[in-house]
Amino acid sequence: MTKVTMQVNGRSVSGDVEGRTLLVDFLRDDLRLTGTHVGCDTSQCGACVVHVDGNAVKSCTMFALEADGADVATIEGQANPDGSLNVIQQAFQDHHGLQCGFCTPGMVMSAAALLKENPTPTEAEIREYLEGNICRCTGYHNIVKAIMAASGQDVGAIAAE
């Protein structure tokens, strides 16, 4: 066992982990931050996306030890300081960018990374960026609308599919 220490959602945390412990397992099992989902264990679905030092990472492909000393942000840390939904979360709610909700944490985290890189992405850019996230319920249309709305763009022009 090796001690790992990191900032998670602005809070210093530490724990003893085996070398093979994945970051997603450390977050879920040790820290009880269960919003980060395990969907496939093969980095195909994106349900486990978190931010590590500001970069979107599939936490099922990273060892907890690799995040030692890092700043990690999870879906639990995305709300506004008063507990209300942030602009991306609110847009997902307003534009029905979720159904079962399983993929939603990863989608929100990916959307946040996209909007940090590209504050006003086109519909095509959003769809391309989300290629690493799988949703089995929505068909992506409302997710794309939600991300465009979160960027402050007019979503009325997006044709229904």
Side-chain angles (χ1 to χ4, degrees), residues 14-94:
S14 61
D16 293 322
V17 297
E18 293 182 34
R20 64 184 176 170
T21 302
L22 296 173
L23 179 57
V24 69
D25 295 325
F26 179 69
L27 294 170
R28 290 181 58 78
D29 299 341
D30 293 33
L31 302 182
R32 300 289 180 221
L33 296 172
T34 58
T36 302
H37 293 159
V38 179
C40 67
D41 282 327
T42 61
S43 88
Q44 301 296 311
C45 75
C48 68
V49 172
V50 298
H51 297 173
V52 177
D53 292 332
N55 298 307
V57 171
K58 291 181 178 179
S59 60
C60 75
T61 63
M62 182 176 195
F63 292 114
L65 289 173
E66 292 177 284
D68 190 36
D71 182 19
V72 178
T74 70
I75 191 67
E76 288 89 351
Q78 296 305 296
N80 293 319
D82 66 359
S84 63
L85 299 178
N86 75 14
V87 67
I88 298 169
Q89 293 168 313
Q90 189 64 55
F92 268 69
Q93 181 178 352
D94 293 346

Side-chain angles (χ1 to χ4, degrees), residues 103-125:
C103 72
T104 305
M107 290 286 188
V108 168
M109 297 303 290
S110 291
L114 168 61
L115 295 177
K116 181 181 170 190
E117 289 176 25
N118 182 354
T120 53
T122 65
E123 180 180 354
E125 289 169 330

Side-chain angles (χ1 to χ4, degrees), residues 95 123 141 144-146 148-149 152-160:
H95 295 279
E123 180 180 354
H141 180 72
V144 172
K145 280 177 66 173
M148 288 192 81
Q153 297 182 71
D154 178 24
V155 296
I158 297 177

